[in-house]
Amino acid sequence: MSRVASAQFAAGTDAAVNLRACLRAIDSAAEARAELVVLPEFCNHLSWYADRDHARRAACRIGDEFLTAIAECAARHSIYVKIGVSLARDDGRTTASSLLYGPDGALLGESDKQVLMGAENDYFDPGETDSPMIETPIGRLGMYACMEGVINEVTRSLAVRGAQILLNSLNSFAIDEASLHVPVRAAENKVWVVAANKIGPLLPEDKLPEIAARLGVPADRLHGAGESQIVAPDGTVVAIAPPTGEAIVVADIDATRADDKTRPDGTDLLASRRPEIYGPLAEPSTRAARPGASAITAAAVAADAGVVRAAALAGTDLIVLPELAAVSVDDLRLALSDTSAHAVISVRDGAANHGLLVNAEGIVGRQPQLHATGRHPWLTELGAELLIFELPWGRLAIVVGDDALFPETFRLAAVADADVVAVAHTPSEPWELRLGLPERSAENRLNIVAAGYDAEGEFRGACYALSPDFTLWTAWQGPFTGVISHPVVSETVAGSLSLSGTIRPAQAVNRNVSKGTNLVDGRPRRPLASTTTGTE
């Protein structure tokens, strides 16, 4: 077991004050007998500058007074310190970087942020290489920062290369970092995550009222959202700080828990990846000639033709049934007769598991499952690509069975410019519905309709709808909530056989989470198409 810590504090424009906050946090972690502490992003200076030259002047340099003090404090306490700073590189680049100092004060690793957020694009150069995986006596460590955790590529690459503990430094006002984007990276990769966020104003205090008024948000919504946390490989938050106030949280962790990537059915979440079909992830995304409908009605229903019929007669556009639902295609076709509804169902076809798109005329689309699963030993014939189906209201992708476990599946849908994803699955672990599907919607700007029976045999249906209130760069219809990308979630209650909700295909077109930051087009394109399972 190793004791790790996560710190949160405010940082302004005074480097000396900021350094004292960093040293205070390291001292507190050492006092708590932690062997590693993670500090927030941009510890040296607010991420707010007059221009690019100002950003470079304010940046740290390897071996300068600021970073030397951090290294000396790490050595004094014999503790690993991960810190996020802006860094003036000798080659002329200015980067947003993560640095790891060892218990002897040596610099063990550097990682330049690959995905910059908003105005960071005006001041910094994006990282050009994958974040390193660093071997240490307390575990194999990987570093990432803030926006890199709002999408899946950087953390996925680190996990595939063998990292056991991921260290995330944040500079974020978004409340869905702590509730979704941080813990999901632990669960989907079965690794530990130690995440440290800021508190206090993220913009100069003298300019905060004016900026808040211009954006139409309360000034306190532009403060760091805190809730620094430590997350176990199953997505359980084992320690979390409050939303406000300087704090340190600690937890004793067993890094080797992250070496077990198996689900209850024996499926290995990393070994079952199929890099050979992920080629499109390294290419530019395609864009539809037209946006989808502004709104449609979708339903997740249990395996009952009568329930399907009721939903179709109610004017539902898309109806999703569970994986391998006990409803025949003929019965489903009859249930849809005299309506324009489409339904998605999963059926076994020999050694394949096919998702079928059905309307009143019969089968109009077929999507084979792409990934093998321990639940279905008979499943040996796998699909080679994710297909997109053009419907009157938008572009539909179908995710079959345990394909829902893989971030890559939904990324393929987003790159192919899907608006809606129908998921016929069998959720087996709590994180899949609580974190997995909400994140697949959020990081790809996809509407998702999912239906399945869980491990206890209870029907679980959900709609993850894209909100028109997205980013601070467009006017909000309602009050700003502090959410960066979390979808609007509707879920079945115990005992119910159906769920109906409104989804918004047209909203899938807007993927700009901030100025200059596109959730799909801005993804790092190197890691997913090239990485293979292993620790090399």
Side-chain angles (χ1 to χ4, degrees), residues 113-246:
K113 190 176 184 180
Q114 300 174 62
V115 187
L116 299 174
M117 179 66 163
E120 293 171 13
N121 290 281
D122 297 332
Y123 310 129
F124 303 118
D125 298 290
E128 298 173 349
T129 58
D130 226 353
S131 183
M133 193 273 289
I134 304 165
E135 296 264 9
T136 74
I138 64 173
R140 298 185 297 272
L141 309 181
M143 299 187 290
Y144 68 109
C146 206
M147 182 61 209
E148 291 182 313
V150 177
I151 56 178
N152 71 77
E153 281 83 355
V154 174
T155 53
R156 189 66 153 181
S157 175
L158 285 165
V160 167
R161 287 182 283 128
Q164 298 166 310
I165 309 170
L166 302 186
L167 314 178
N168 182 11
S169 297
L170 297 103
N171 176 70
S172 180
F173 62 77
I175 63 173
D176 49 341
E177 290 277 18
S179 65
L180 179 61
H181 304 306
V182 171
V184 74
R185 304 307 169 204
E188 69 193 14
N189 295 301
K190 292 193 177 294
V191 296
W192 292 93
V193 170
V194 185
N197 197 8
K198 290 269 190 67
I199 58 166
L202 299 184
L203 302 169
E205 286 196 77
D206 60 336
K207 294 182 171 61
L208 192 59
E210 173 199 344
I211 296 169
R214 189 166 70 244
L215 295 174
V217 303
D220 63 357
R221 288 294 191 184
L222 299 178
H223 285 210
E227 294 192 294
S228 299
Q229 60 189 265
I230 301 164
V231 191
D234 63 358
T236 301
V237 177
V238 298
I240 187 168
T244 60
E246 196 166 291

Side-chain angles (χ1 to χ4, degrees), residues 334-348:
L334 289 172
L336 300 174
S337 62
D338 301 317
T339 76
S340 60
H342 286 79
V344 171
I345 192 170
S346 156
V347 300
R348 179 176 177 177

Side-chain angles (χ1 to χ4, degrees), residues 376-440:
H376 301 320
W378 48 265
L379 178 60
T380 57
E381 294 182 7
L382 302 175
E385 62 179 328
L386 188 75
L387 304 173
I388 301 295
F389 303 96
E390 296 274 1
L391 295 175
W393 38 261
R395 294 163 61 86
L396 176 72
I398 297 173
V399 170
V400 186
D402 286 349
D403 285 348
L405 300 173
F406 298 87
E408 296 89 339
T409 308
F410 295 83
R411 211 53 158 166
L412 288 168
V415 167
D417 209 33
D419 302 313
V420 179
V421 178
V423 180
H425 68 147
T426 303
S428 299
E429 295 184 290
W431 74 268
E432 297 172 35
L433 295 174
R434 181 173 58 88
L435 299 170
L437 289 181
E439 184 61 55
R440 302 294 81 86

